[in-house]
Amino acid sequence: MGMSVTISAAAENDAEQILKLQYLCYQSEAELHGDYTIEPLTQTLDDLRAELGRGCVLVARLGEEVVGSVRATVDTEGTAVITGLIVHPRLRRHGLGGRLLAGIEERLAAEWDAKRFRLATGRRGEGNARLYRKWGYARTGAETAGRNLAVVTLEKEAGPAGAPALVTTA
């Protein structure tokens, strides 16, 4: 019998597994953009631990293994900035990214009073952009974030009573 993936708040001792998974997951993004100096590949364990202590962090577990993660912070005006949405390559395209995104949106709206959600993705990452559009995000801007990395910013308002909104496309 197979194990199911569970999503929960990250614990302090998850930092090392998150960092290793982040490094694995961002290899394809670095290759796509021709830039291996992007922040997720150069972040130190101490920097990640500090980041985890400042915001909301969820992990997806398959047994004891961290196979996905997402993190966010919320500013004083209620804008939640979602970062670090990662899913182990062997589990991609099975809905886990959407589950993590929905989970963090729900938690941010309920516990952090988020009014809107913002995230960014590499301009060449069409798979990521497709996921975000499916969940109701719309492009709001673009900028250069490294030697060769063009980043697209996407946002959406929180749904009624802060609930996240899923948008289905035909």
Side-chain angles (χ1 to χ4, degrees), residues 69-157:
S69 183
V70 64
R71 50 195 186 249
T73 57
V74 180
D75 68 19
T76 57
E77 290 153 13
T79 300
V81 178
I82 299 171
T83 61
L85 176 60
I86 53 176
V87 174
H88 195 288
R90 76 175 188 268
L91 295 176
R92 289 181 183 159
R93 312 244 356 121
H94 294 284
L96 186 52
R99 286 179 58 200
L100 282 163
L101 191 56
I104 199 135
E105 287 178 2
E106 288 170 14
R107 184 162 294 201
L108 292 168
E111 298 174 17
W112 295 67
D113 201 26
K115 308 276 188 272
R116 75 198 58 72
F117 305 108
R118 177 181 300 146
L119 47 77
T121 188
R123 185 174 292 167
R124 296 180 184 164
E126 184 51 38
N128 295 341
R130 189 173 31 256
L131 171 69
Y132 302 143
R133 284 191 306 267
K134 177 181 177 182
W135 284 89
Y137 287 83
R139 180 180 170 158
T140 58
E143 64 182 284
T144 302
R147 287 193 326 230
N148 301 318
L149 181 61
V151 176
V152 175
T153 303
L154 300 104
E155 293 185 9
K156 76 173 188 179
E157 297 296 315

Side-chain angles (χ1 to χ4, degrees), residues 1-7 60-65 67 96 99:
M1 178 181 242
M3 284 191 250
S4 62
V5 175
T6 59
I7 296 175
R61 295 181 199 283
L62 183 59
E64 296 297 314
E65 179 186 7
V67 295
L96 186 52
R99 286 179 58 200

